[in-house]
Amino acid sequence: MATTRAAAGRVRRRPTRSGVVLDPDMIINAALHLIEAPGGNALTVRRLGVELGADPSAIYRYFRNLDALLIAITDRLLAETLDGFTPAAYWADSLRLLAEGIYRSTLRHPRLALLRAVRFTAGPYELRAADIGVGLLMEAGFGGPDAVRHYRDLIEAAWALAAIDASEMTPEQERDEERALARAYATLPADDYPHLAAVRAELPAMSEPAFPGVLAKLIDALERLLPPYSPPS
């Protein structure tokens, strides 16, 4: 994943020509409102200026371009997960809670799901999430390199599955897909697809979200990979 600085360095706050005093949080809130507006993503720098009551060029004092603003938004959304995160007594349960929080947050903001899955923000919230996750694995007994690798595998799976499940379809597309799947499953010729025909009744489960099952398997795998405990001599 490419590293992108979320925002410009500290800038002096001063009123725009219309008297509006901007700050990064104000800009992020307005941009998120435009992204999630009914009817589709309406974010442009010009529309953002209108939303803020400021000259669009003033936004570049805080974010060098629209991409940097989007990265800052995705990092800020991680606050939804981290602000409500309370570690459990057992490290694996804590990792599960962290991954589930990221998954739920992504579903709440579907139009940013793909961006959140593929970009590393280098921002404070993503770094804090990584610090928590790697720390949990190290406390469980994994060495540093393994803790980093296992955290990456777990969190990448959570982001990817969340992005898939957050994909927006129209109600008509959803109905068409359900009908097409039901028709395909019901008419599978056993001669051509013997294994699928044998589990015909179970095939509707293929359309259910994979995240809960994948997360359970990953956590189980981590517990099995945990090095044996060696008491200090």
Side-chain angles (χ1 to χ4, degrees):
M1 294 181 292
T3 300
T4 304
R5 285 188 57 211
R10 184 181 298 274
V11 296
R12 187 176 62 175
R13 296 176 58 189
R14 59 189 179 192
T16 64
R17 284 179 294 181
S18 61
V20 176
V21 180
L22 298 179
D23 63 47
D25 283 338
M26 182 186 300
I27 296 171
I28 287 172
N29 290 338
L32 187 58
H33 175 74
L34 289 173
I35 290 169
E36 298 185 337
N41 186 343
L43 179 62
T44 65
V45 173
R46 183 184 63 79
R47 287 174 177 160
L48 186 54
V50 172
E51 182 80 7
L52 291 165
D55 189 297
S57 64
I59 294 161
Y60 295 118
R61 292 175 43 221
Y62 299 85
F63 300 95
R64 66 177 180 272
N65 53 35
L66 193 58
D67 187 63
L69 172 57
L70 288 169
I71 294 301
I73 294 169
T74 64
D75 189 70
R76 231 274 299 279
L77 290 179
L78 267 171
E80 292 184 354
T81 296
L82 298 180
D83 289 349
F85 175 74
T86 301
Y90 182 47
W91 65 271
D93 292 334
S94 294
L95 278 178
R96 183 179 292 106
L97 290 172
L98 184 61
E100 289 173 344
I102 287 172
Y103 178 82
R104 288 193 298 269
S105 173
T106 304
L107 296 189
R108 285 194 292 270
H109 305 282
R111 291 176 187 164
L112 288 164
L114 182 59
L115 181 67
R116 297 178 73 180
V118 301
R119 299 293 292 274
F120 177 61
T121 71
Y125 292 109
E126 185 154 353
L127 293 175
R128 182 178 156 208
D131 187 71
I132 290 171
V134 171
L136 287 167
L137 288 160
M138 293 180 70
E139 290 168 12
F142 290 103
D146 284 339
V148 170
R149 180 167 54 86
H150 295 327
Y151 173 76
R152 179 206 63 196
D153 293 348
L154 178 72
I155 220 66
E156 291 278 327
W159 285 123
L161 291 169
I164 292 172
D165 292 340
S167 299
E168 293 184 300
M169 290 194 295
T170 65
E172 182 179 359
Q173 288 173 324
E174 291 179 352
R175 288 192 297 270
D176 287 347
E177 183 177 87
E178 289 173 2
R179 285 194 291 263
L181 289 174
R183 184 167 55 251
Y185 295 155
T187 58
L188 279 170
D191 290 343
D192 295 333
Y193 308 102
H195 302 106
L196 291 179
V199 295
R200 190 187 307 274
E202 309 302 324
L203 289 179
M206 295 275 281
S207 60
E208 297 174 359
F211 176 75
V214 172
L215 179 61
K217 292 179 180 69
L218 288 171
I219 295 293
D220 181 67
L222 288 173
E223 290 177 307
R224 293 173 185 271
L225 287 170
L226 188 65
Y229 173 71
S230 299
S233 55

